[in-house]
Each structure stands twice: as C-alpha cells, then as structure tokens.
C-alpha cells in the first residue's frame, strides 16, 4: 500500500525556502574568495568522510544558499550517474539485449535503471526523510521469468554498475538493495496529500532514444530537482555529450566554456544557474571554482531573430507560431519577419531546457498532446535552470507550470496547450501570439 505522507522533516533537516538575493560580484576573484570561505567554514563543521561529496565546490557559499548541502550532494550523485551512463554505453550497448520496452512502448536501458538506483540510494542515505519521484520502477525487471538468462544478466549488470560507483561505506549492495532503490522512486512508492510537499524529482535519462543511437553528438540528460514546500529549489543536469559553445556569443567572452565534452549545470533558487565541464573520472570530481561559469538566457528581443528548438517527435507546423513564421534549419539561410531558425535535434525536453538556460537557444516550445501525458521529471529541473538563468517558463496561456496538479503522485503536469521556455524579452510577445491562434 502507498504510504501517505505529510512531510515534516526533523529539525536538523528542515528545508525552508529563503529566497536569497544573488549579488553579482565585481570580479571573479570575489566569487572565488567568498565561495571558498563558505566551503571552508562548512567543511570544518562537517565529518571528514562526507566533505568530498557533500561539500564539493559550488559557485556560491552556504550563506547564500539555504539548500547548499542538498545541491552539493545532488551534484556528486548526478556526476557519478553520468559516468555510469558513459560506461554503460561503451560496454553494454554492443550486446544483443540493449533495452527493454515498457508498457507505453518507450525504451528503458540498463543505464536508466542504474542511474535511478544509484541516485536513489545515495539520496536516501543523506536525506532519508525526503521521498523520491522518478520515472522508473523494477516491475519490468521483476516480471521477466526468473530462469531466463536475460533476466539474470540484466539485474546482474545493473547491480554491478551501481555497486562500482555508489558512495557507500556500508555492506556491499545486493541485487535486492538495487531493485529496492529503483522502486523507491516508482509510482507506488509514495502518496502525497494536497498540501505543499518536499521531494526529489529524477529523470534518470531524459532522451533514452537518443542514448540508444550511440552517436557522440546525441544529447541525453540526467536530471534531478528538489521541490521544497511546493517550490522548485534546486536543480542539477548532467549531459555527457554536450560540446563546446554552451554560452551565447553575445555574452561576455570571459564566460565562454573551456574546450571539452560534457556539461554539468546547477541551479539554486535565488543564486542563479551555473555550469562547468563534467569531470573525466568518477572519483576525480572537478572542484576548482574557476571551472564554474554563470549561465544566462539568450538576450534576443526580436521574435523572428530568435533561435527555436522543439523535441524530435514534433514538427514546426504543429506549433501555433507556425502561423506567423516559416522555419529553416540551415543557419546560413537569411532570416526575415517570416522565417525563423529552428533546431529539431534528437533528444528529450531537458536537453532543450539546457540549451535555453545556457543561451544556445532562445525559445523551447512543446505541444501537449492528448495521447501522451507530460511527466514532471521531464520538466522540473529544466524549469528552475531556465528561470535562474533569467528566463521564464509557462504554459501556452502564460501560467506557471503546476507541479502539484497531480495531488497524490506529483508525477504528471497538465500545462494548457503546452510548454514555453524563453527569455523575459520574448515571453509576453510569444504568449500573446500563441493564445491568439491556439484553441
């Protein structure tokens, strides 16, 4: 039976949203000094065994971020999860059994299960009072005939990858531990009441179809958000195949990302959105404060000059804005009042939010279709990253996305018409265009 929760955290772990004002410092030196001082103070008060994971270098100090500890733990877990994805892709996807198919005919891989188990286990060790809302459960694994070799191989592979990467000082993880960790985020794990709640939202791999393509430029994202008393408070996205140029060329060149592959994007309410390259080794996390770069949405204020992105299952003519603009995917094509630049790359919703939050794209637009539910984990972390980067997210009437609309499960959202993410300069104009043509 689902456990009804009215979350009241123990006093040492009470999470209260305190919207901190992000003061833009006069120089990067002051950012480094302030953050380093904050980390040093926190580290001195923390057990040495958890300093590395829970107090990894963030671009703002604990004094500015009331959920600094939760964010630092999320960063460490997501980074491990990204390494797991890369290793699974390299070693397992060449085999005969690449993925399972769920009841909704969407694919799920060993990496999806492994990431959910890893992050679920680590968050439970650190924050046992905070439940998890996540995409997967182990039903399809458990439903396989126990004497089939495929079943044993899948569970063994998942357990092996998780056990090698999880931060665990206790006894080794059993297969049952791994399956239980997966199910902790499943649809039957927790039931909420209508009151504002505190919980994690996880998409273990957003863009599994892209992950399965095997191409180095196919974008997939590990996304984790923390909702506190009904408000998005923390977000972390890891994208192992992200390439250079994550910030808009119109922004300060000093904010450009260094050469490399893979990105980690973090956001904390009131403290902005920041990114740095993924580390190259699972136990050698990037900790230099210089690696963090502030993210800002694209400043474009002219609708036909903006850069638009949609998910690969959509076409431009499905969007209300197609009544105003034709589209081109060729960057060399001239743009005018009747034609916009469109990117329709392979990948899920979170990679599109990442593009908008980093300034690479100006607008992400998604159509809500009656035959397909819109899941909270496909949007939660993207919403806070865009908003803290100076953008806005809403449904097609301009209303904020309601992550509590599914009162008992917190798993589904119901945006009117669809979802729009963009900068503040374009937001009102685009909403007006959409509402004038969409019924």
């Amino acid at each position: 039976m689902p456990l009804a929760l009215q979350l009241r955290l123990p006093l040492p772990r009470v999470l209260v949203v305190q919207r901190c004002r992000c003061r833009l410092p006069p120089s990067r030196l002051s950012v480094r000094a302030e953050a380093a001082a904050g980390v040093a103070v926190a580290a001195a008060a923390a057990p040495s065994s958890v300093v590395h994971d829970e107090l990894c270098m963030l671009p703002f100090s604990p004094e500015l971020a009331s959920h600094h500890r939760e964010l630092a733990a999320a960063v460490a877990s997501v980074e491990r999860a990204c390494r797991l994805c890369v290793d699974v892709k390299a070693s397992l996807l060449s085999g005969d059994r690449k993925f399972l198919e769920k009841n909704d005919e969407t694919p799920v891989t060993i990496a999806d299960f492994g990431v959910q188990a890893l992050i679920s286990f680590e968050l439970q060790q650190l924050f046992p009072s905070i439940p998890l809302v996540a995409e997967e459960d182990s039903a399809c694994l458990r439903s396989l005939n126990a004497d089939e070799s495929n079943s044993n191989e899948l569970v063994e592979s998942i357990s092996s990858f998780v056990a090698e990467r999880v931060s665990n000082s206790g006894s080794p993880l059993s297969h049952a531990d791994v399956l239980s960790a997966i199910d902790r985020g499943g649809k039957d794990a927790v039931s909420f009441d209508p009151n504002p709640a505190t919980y994690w939202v996880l998409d273990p791999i957003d863009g599994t179809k892209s992950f399965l393509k095997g191409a180095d430029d196919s974008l997939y994202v590990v996304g984790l958000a923390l909702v506190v008393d009904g408000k998005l408070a923390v977000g972390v996205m890891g994208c192992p195949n992200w390439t250079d140029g994550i910030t808009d060329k119109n922004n300060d060149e000093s904010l450009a990302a260094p050469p490399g592959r893979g990105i980690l994007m973090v956001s904390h309410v009131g403290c902005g959105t920041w990114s740095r390259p993924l580390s190259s080794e699972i136990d050698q996390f990037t900790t230099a404060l210089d690696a963090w770069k502030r993210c800002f949405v694209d400043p474009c204020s002219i609708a036909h000059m903006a850069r638009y992105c949609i998910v690969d299952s959509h076409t431009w003519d499905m969007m209300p804005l197609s009544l105003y603009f034709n589209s081109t995917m060729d960057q060399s094509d001239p743009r005018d009042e009747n034609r916009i630049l469109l990117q329709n790359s392979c990948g899920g919703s979170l990679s599109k939010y990442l593009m908008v939050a980093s300034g690479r794209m100006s607008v992400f637009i998604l159509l809500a279709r009656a035959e397909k539910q819109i899941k909270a984990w496909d949007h939660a972390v993207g919403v806070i990253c865009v908003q803290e980067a100076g953008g806005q997210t809403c449904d097609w009437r301009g209303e904020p996305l309601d992550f509590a609309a599914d009162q008992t499960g917190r798993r589904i959202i119901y945006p009117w018409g669809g979802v729009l993410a963009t900068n503040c300069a374009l937001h009102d104009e685009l909403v007006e265009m959409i509402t004038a043509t969409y019924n």
Side-chain angles (χ1 to χ4, degrees), residues 187-247:
K187 59 183 176 61
D188 296 324
V190 63
S191 180
F192 297 88
D193 60 34
N195 296 320
T198 296
Y199 55 96
W200 297 99
V201 184
L202 170 67
D203 194 336
I205 297 183
D206 181 74
T208 300
K209 291 181 181 179
S210 182
F211 178 86
L212 286 169
K213 285 182 179 295
D216 288 341
D217 59 351
S218 295
L219 298 182
Y220 62 93
V221 174
V222 177
L224 179 63
L226 177 65
V227 178
V228 177
D229 291 338
K231 304 292 185 181
L232 288 166
V234 161
V236 181
M237 286 194 281
C239 183
N241 283 350
W242 187 263
T243 53
D244 298 342
I246 63 169
T247 54

Side-chain angles (χ1 to χ4, degrees), residues 206 219-223 236-243 245-247 262-266 273-275 295-297 309 348-361 364 378 381-383 385-386 389 421:
D206 181 74
L219 298 182
Y220 62 93
V221 174
V222 177
V236 181
M237 286 194 281
C239 183
N241 283 350
W242 187 263
T243 53
I246 63 169
T247 54
I263 187 176
L264 191 76
M265 178 175 283
V266 306
T273 295
W274 301 73
S275 69
C295 296
F296 298 98
V297 294
C309 57
S349 297
L350 291 186
S351 65
K352 307 306 186 286
Y353 281 109
L354 201 157
M355 289 180 178
V356 174
S358 65
R360 179 178 285 186
M361 290 287 130
F364 167 45
D378 288 330
V381 64
V383 167
C385 285
V386 167

Side-chain angles (χ1 to χ4, degrees), residues 319-331:
M319 305 298 157
L321 294 174
S322 64
L323 297 177
Y324 298 92
F325 310 111
N326 295 320
S327 67
T328 178
M329 299 182 70
D330 187 346
Q331 295 192 41

